Amino acid sequence: MSPESLDITVVGHGARTYPPEQCTLSLTVRTDGRTAETASEPAQQLVRELTQLVEPLYNSDGGPIDRWSVDQVRHSRNRPFNQDGEQLPYVYQAEASVNVQFSQLDLVDAFVYAASALDGVSIDHFDWDLTESSRISHTLAVRELAVQDAVSKAEAYASSLGRTRVHAVSVADPGLLPGIGAHGAADSSPRMFAAKSTPAGFALKPEDITITASVHARFEAS
């Protein structure tokens, strides 16, 4: 390194927002009764009704529903207490979880309306996400933005110190470049929208998904 050269170390950041491309609904079937049978039968019926809603829309290749699952009905019981502290007879519960993934988002609200109309079915939350291939390509694009940001910062620092040329010496993911702590790892997690109840006419308006990335870079300016 010549006497005129100077080390410049920077952190570059990149971020872009993208509209979600798929939505996974998490639903719960929950019923109760005075016996295990009277709790279980309505739950089994609700699972069948949900299945009837899903199956006409299911197509693993093109959607609008491209993946769904339902677990077995689970059973439990408990003995509640009344306001006087007296223990009451057993109350039996039956519960099942259903997950439905939509690849055509314009049909989600109609499905939610139909499912939430079933007494004993609750919409727990919506997970908005990108497809795997889109997430990979978008993350690469955002990482390029982070590198460009690092170069711009290095050039600005060099210019302010009267240096006219910079070239990269080291580039690394956060935490991997010696002497720099880890900050700002890539983030492309799905957006979750919580909804304990879904009123009639509910319009789904998911926010865009933001993907961020950071890169640590060291430059030599001369």
Side-chain angles (χ1 to χ4, degrees):
M1 185 170 65
S2 63
E4 295 80 14
S5 64
L6 176 72
D7 279 346
I8 298 176
T9 304
V10 297
V11 180
H13 300 287
R16 275 185 178 173
T17 58
Y18 302 92
E21 299 170 326
Q22 62 187 31
C23 175
T24 300
L25 297 181
S26 295
L27 307 94
T28 299
V29 171
R30 187 179 293 107
T31 57
D32 55 42
R34 289 301 179 183
T35 67
E37 184 177 36
T38 57
S40 179
E41 286 182 354
Q44 298 284 1
Q45 177 60 29
L46 286 171
V47 169
R48 288 192 291 268
E49 293 182 38
L50 282 174
T51 300
Q52 291 170 359
L53 291 176
V54 170
E55 286 185 337
L57 303 175
Y58 174 66
N59 183 332
S60 60
D61 294 326
I65 293 175
D66 53 15
R67 184 180 304 170
W68 76 288
S69 65
V70 56
D71 61 10
Q72 293 184 342
V73 175
R74 304 179 297 275
H75 301 89
S76 62
R77 67 177 185 173
N78 67 82
R79 295 190 67 181
F81 292 86
N82 65 16
Q83 60 184 6
D84 297 323
E86 298 173 339
Q87 195 166 32
L88 302 175
Y90 277 112
V91 174
Y92 293 80
Q93 293 89 27
E95 185 175 304
S97 298
V98 180
N99 293 296
V100 184
Q101 179 176 289
F102 280 84
S103 58
Q104 296 180 25
L105 302 187
D106 56 335
L107 297 180
V108 174
D109 54 352
F111 181 88
V112 167
Y113 177 81
S116 61
L118 300 174
D119 188 20
V121 174
S122 63
I123 312 295
D124 294 332
H125 58 260
F126 308 91
D127 286 332
W128 305 97
D129 201 358
L130 303 168
T131 63
E132 183 178 359
S133 59
S134 292
R135 190 186 308 111
I136 291 172
S137 63
H138 293 331
T139 299
L140 290 174
V142 171
R143 285 173 178 162
E144 289 182 4
L145 291 178
V147 172
Q148 294 169 10
D149 182 54
V151 172
S152 295
K153 287 180 177 178
E155 290 175 342
Y157 284 133
S159 177
S160 67
L161 295 171
R163 310 303 169 98
T164 58
R165 298 178 60 185
V166 298
H167 68 272
V169 176
S170 301
V171 178
D173 285 340
L176 299 181
L177 196 63
I180 309 179
H183 297 285
D187 178 15
S188 59
S189 57
R191 292 292 181 90
M192 177 181 292
F193 177 82
K196 291 187 177 180
S197 61
T198 306
F202 183 74
L204 302 178
K205 296 180 179 179
E207 294 182 2
D208 288 346
I209 295 171
T210 300
I211 297 179
T212 64
S214 297
V215 64
H216 292 173
R218 184 166 286 131
F219 296 82
E220 184 179 293
S222 59

